Amino acid sequence: MYESLDRVRLKDGSQVVVARVKSPDSEWAPRLAPFLAHKGLPWTWQIDQTLRDSVGRLEAYYYFAHRDGEIISTVCTYEHAGAGTFGHVFTAPDQRRKGACKAIMNLQMDDFRGRGGRALFLGTGYDSVPWHIYHSFGFRPVSPGSGHMDYYSQDEERFEESYFASGTAKSRDIEWADWAGLVALMACSTGPRLRTFNTEAIGRTNFEGPFLPFYRDLLDEPEQRARVIEVEATGSVVGFAHLAPDTRFGRGVSVLDLYVHLNHSAAAGALIESLDLPSDRKLQAYVGSDDPTRRSALEAAGFRQEAILRDQLRAADGPMDVILLERR
């Protein structure tokens, strides 16, 4: 669905139309997809999926400047339940330094707030030109010296208080909308150091990129399965479980990842049970020594300590142990 947002004059005196497409959109997809084709896999797969096909509850917005139908610059957001990921910022080389990107972002950020958006997350090079552009629009580094940045329409504390608030929650299969939800969950300011082993999420992590190969593999490989916990009243994603073969050992062992926000720790057991874990193979799980809640949930599901990996994980206050649990 195409919507013109404004007509803008650039620094060189030319005028462009800044527009928004909420996908899927059959008219603009054939023009937007080639414009972003330089991204390469898995991004071109993601762009094609979110432009041409229905992606359920994920709200995919493509903002762009065009002159007589010719696209010169883009900015994209992918959102659900007020949170989302921000990316695909690209201007045609011969159209750069004319203010097109900033013109789009002015309208895009206003539009995001006007639709009730609460949080956006992105990844870029620290202290780069794009980093400073995003900073000027209110994005801040998640940690000092980081290119992982976040933006809150109010502030981080109020967003996390409402997004991760206690409430009736249910487990369900993962879907495209969880790209936005898991980006918010993995960036949460509180939580264990080791968030997921299979997708290598350690500490506050930008899950924008890692989600795509994970989700694509999940769709293609029957041995993988994943579930999330969603708060019924808000649609927030507050828990995640993922089972995948460990390719380092010939796929004979599967690794279970489990990460649930502390406000919803009571739902961890039901989340594990909903995965319908196989009984014909050895299962393992890795738990940081700072995460007794996850360990208790896994032990309640039949996992037992197999080994302690001493000083395995770096943390701000020194190395920490990682406990390896098994279920046969």
Side-chain angles (χ1 to χ4, degrees):
M1 182 175 65
Y2 173 92
E3 181 181 352
S4 175
L5 300 179
D6 200 1
R7 183 175 291 273
V8 176
R9 186 176 298 277
L10 302 183
K11 292 179 182 178
D12 65 352
S14 65
Q15 286 195 342
V16 294
V17 174
V18 176
R20 184 193 75 186
V21 161
K22 183 179 180 182
S23 63
D25 187 278
S26 59
E27 179 183 354
W28 284 91
R31 284 178 271 186
L32 283 162
F35 186 78
L36 295 169
H38 66 281
K39 298 289 291 188
L41 288 172
W43 300 105
T44 50
W45 170 77
Q46 172 263 309
I47 291 165
D48 190 68
Q49 289 277 303
T50 54
L51 271 174
R52 302 179 191 276
D53 300 329
S54 172
V55 284
R57 297 183 297 164
L58 181 70
E59 298 176 42
Y61 295 101
Y62 288 78
Y63 298 85
F64 55 97
H66 69 91
R67 188 182 295 115
D68 299 325
E70 180 183 356
I71 299 170
I72 68 166
S73 187
T74 59
V75 167
C76 304
T77 64
Y78 304 94
E79 308 165 24
H80 177 63
T85 183
F86 172 101
H88 299 330
V89 180
F90 179 69
T91 301
D94 63 343
Q95 299 295 326
R96 292 173 183 172
R97 301 183 183 275
K98 298 180 182 180
C101 176
K102 287 188 176 180
I104 297 172
M105 281 196 67
N106 273 321
L107 293 165
Q108 170 263 316
M109 294 299 288
D110 283 346
D111 186 55
F112 176 73
R113 289 185 290 264
R115 291 185 286 99
R118 295 181 290 163
L120 284 173
F121 302 88
L122 65 83
T124 191
Y126 172 68
D127 203 28
S128 62
V129 172
W131 189 96
H132 287 281
I133 292 174
Y134 305 144
H135 194 276
S136 72
F137 281 93
F139 285 87
R140 295 293 181 265
V142 168
S143 57
S146 175
H148 181 199
M149 305 181 79
D150 53 23
Y151 166 85
Y152 301 99
S153 56
Q154 294 183 318
D155 57 52
E156 178 182 84
E157 183 177 359
R158 278 186 283 183
F159 168 74
E160 292 190 350
E161 183 179 348
S162 61
Y163 189 87
F164 299 111
S166 300
T168 303
K170 62 179 180 181
S171 65
R172 57 162 175 78
D173 287 334
I174 202 163
E175 60 179 71
W176 261 115
D178 299 320
W179 190 17
L182 289 174
V183 163
L185 179 62
M186 296 300 173
C188 182
S189 63
T190 58
R193 181 67 177 157
L194 178 61
R195 303 202 171 183
T196 72
F197 177 81
N198 290 330
T199 58
E200 301 179 10
I202 297 175
R204 301 185 72 178
T205 301
N206 181 12
F207 206 62
E208 176 192 8
F211 176 86
L212 298 177
F214 148 72
Y215 188 53
R216 193 175 186 184
D217 289 347
L218 187 65
L219 295 175
D220 293 340
E221 294 188 15
E223 288 182 297
Q224 291 201 35
R225 57 192 74 173
R227 304 272 288 180
V228 297
I229 300 173
E230 177 182 309
V231 179
E232 292 184 353
T234 63
S236 301
V237 173
V238 296
F240 168 68
H242 175 216
L243 183 74
D246 192 332
T247 57
R248 301 171 305 171
F249 298 100
R251 306 176 72 89
V253 175
S254 288
V255 176
L256 173 63
D257 272 331
L258 175 70
Y259 176 39
V260 179
H261 193 277
L262 282 175
N263 290 348
H264 297 269
S265 57
L271 179 60
I272 297 172
E273 187 177 347
S274 73
L275 276 178
D276 190 22
L277 297 176
S279 58
D280 61 347
R281 60 169 50 206
K282 180 180 179 180
L283 307 180
Q284 290 182 317
Y286 293 82
V287 182
S289 55
D290 64 338
D291 195 1
T293 301
R294 185 190 317 192
R295 179 171 181 171
S296 296
L298 288 164
E299 289 178 340
F303 284 78
R304 295 294 178 263
Q305 180 176 307
E306 182 174 10
I308 298 179
L309 309 178
R310 300 290 184 188
D311 296 341
Q312 186 78 1
L313 190 60
R314 294 180 180 180
D317 55 353
M320 67 170 58
D321 297 342
V322 172
I323 298 92
L324 177 60
L325 304 176
E326 67 162 349
R327 191 176 100 164
R328 298 174 186 259

